[in-house]
Amino acid sequence: MKMRSPGLFAFLMCAAAAGAAPAPVSNSTAVIGHALTSPQLADDLRRLTDEVGGRVSGTPAMARAVDWAMGAFQGAGVSAHTESYTMPLTWSEGATRLEMLDGAQFPVALVAEGWSTPTPPGGIEAELLHVGNGTEADFARAGKQARGAILLVDSTVIQSWDDLDKEYDRAMPIKQRAVAVGARAVLWMAGRERRLLYRHTDTVDGELSPLPMATVAREDAMRLARASDARSAPLHVRLTMPNIVGGAAQERNVIGEILGREHPEQTVILGAHLDSWELGTGALDNGCNAALVIAAARAIQASGLRPRRTIRFVLFSGEEEGFQGSRAYVTQHRAELDQLRAMVAVDSGVGRITGFSLSGRSDVLEPLREVLGPLGPFDAAQLSLSGSLGTDNVDFMLEGVPTLVADQEAGNYMQNYHASSDTYDKVDLHQLAQNAAFVAAAVYEIADRAEPLGTRLSRADIARLLDSTGLAGEMKVTGLWKAWAAGQRGRAP
Ligand SMILES: [Zn+2]
């Protein structure tokens, strides 16, 4: 059942008359009140999306986003600073084009995959070969024809979180097959209809893809696939994708902080990524939740309450390129990780928060149930042990820190994810305020709990957990495993 604000206000009024109320009342009632009533959230988000716009890490727009975050924390009365790290390279798209050299000519809409290797000067002229879904069997069927060709791979329309996971999980194996057969480039049929384009990427370390890759508008890709399938003579195309690749660059995370009253050296992190792709303005992914993190900081600050432990409000950069900002945070703060009690991440748009995924941390279940008990009216207490490899929690999880990734209803996320349509108007501001109130209260309660939520795991325990949750297998598929196994990411033995 969807919890709307009248219920929450009733909850607040009940809390105000706490003396008479037998029901448990959260210490963080004042936090909730501030979060639900602040007009600043919408204005923060409008300025980030409309005025800063899309903000790819390593670009001037990202630097403006960092300024926005510093200003917003300051406006909330919360002290904040930035922390720098080095990205291996910067990337932006040039004038991507696909021309048909024979057969029917028509304009093809396409965009480079993020962090795709560019084509050589003058582009690539080759046969366009439709390889169905790009399975082993499809590649076997294509045989020698795939060598030297530009491959076109089908997709299904993305309608659910599952569909989105599948789109990511299949990319790496297809890429490996394409490289193995000596293909020259890969074109992905867009998983959205009505010629909507979106920026996809599969980099897990900020390095370029092994081949030039682009996403082609679904209807155009289907027409090309039909042409490739129907012709007895091969269909030749020229792919020009002069992506601009720069050298190593400094990027920044922004960290706001409210000091703990009892154990200031112990911390709880509330994190969201501030960076985005730039076809749209990064509203659902993840501007709304960057604004939510600041709203949470503002509400706690304004409540006058001080939690037992320190809360750090971290806006990460480099998330879209393999969690580079959160990876840098973990590296830079490794000496303090024993004192980091929990990391909460919000990165799934503006759908109602239903609970948290704990990436196998069953030890955290009971303590978290206790924390969330008084927040019952938010109806956000569904806890799952499933693993989460999709956002900035990953490097914290690999360090043995308990991580909580907010689970959210899909809402309008799938239609707009990474797409040119991901703009301010897609954000349900009413729901965003409720999510902000819930997260602010939950994080406050976690930081204020007498006992820590859970302990930090040893490397051996983390390895067991990766196996039991199936995360190990998934990390192998997406390419994260190598760095973990080599000791480049995650807790040292
Ligand atoms: Zn995101």
Side-chain angles (χ1 to χ4, degrees), residues 273 285-286 319-320 347 413 418:
H273 70 90
D285 187 15
N286 192 29
E319 192 271 351
E320 299 289 4
D347 185 16
Y413 197 69
H418 290 181

Side-chain angles (χ1 to χ4, degrees), residues 2 56 65 140 204 230 255 258 315 352 427 461:
K2 221 170 154 87
V56 176
V204 290
I255 293 119
I258 293 177
L315 296 178
R352 188 179 72 81
V427 178
D461 285 339

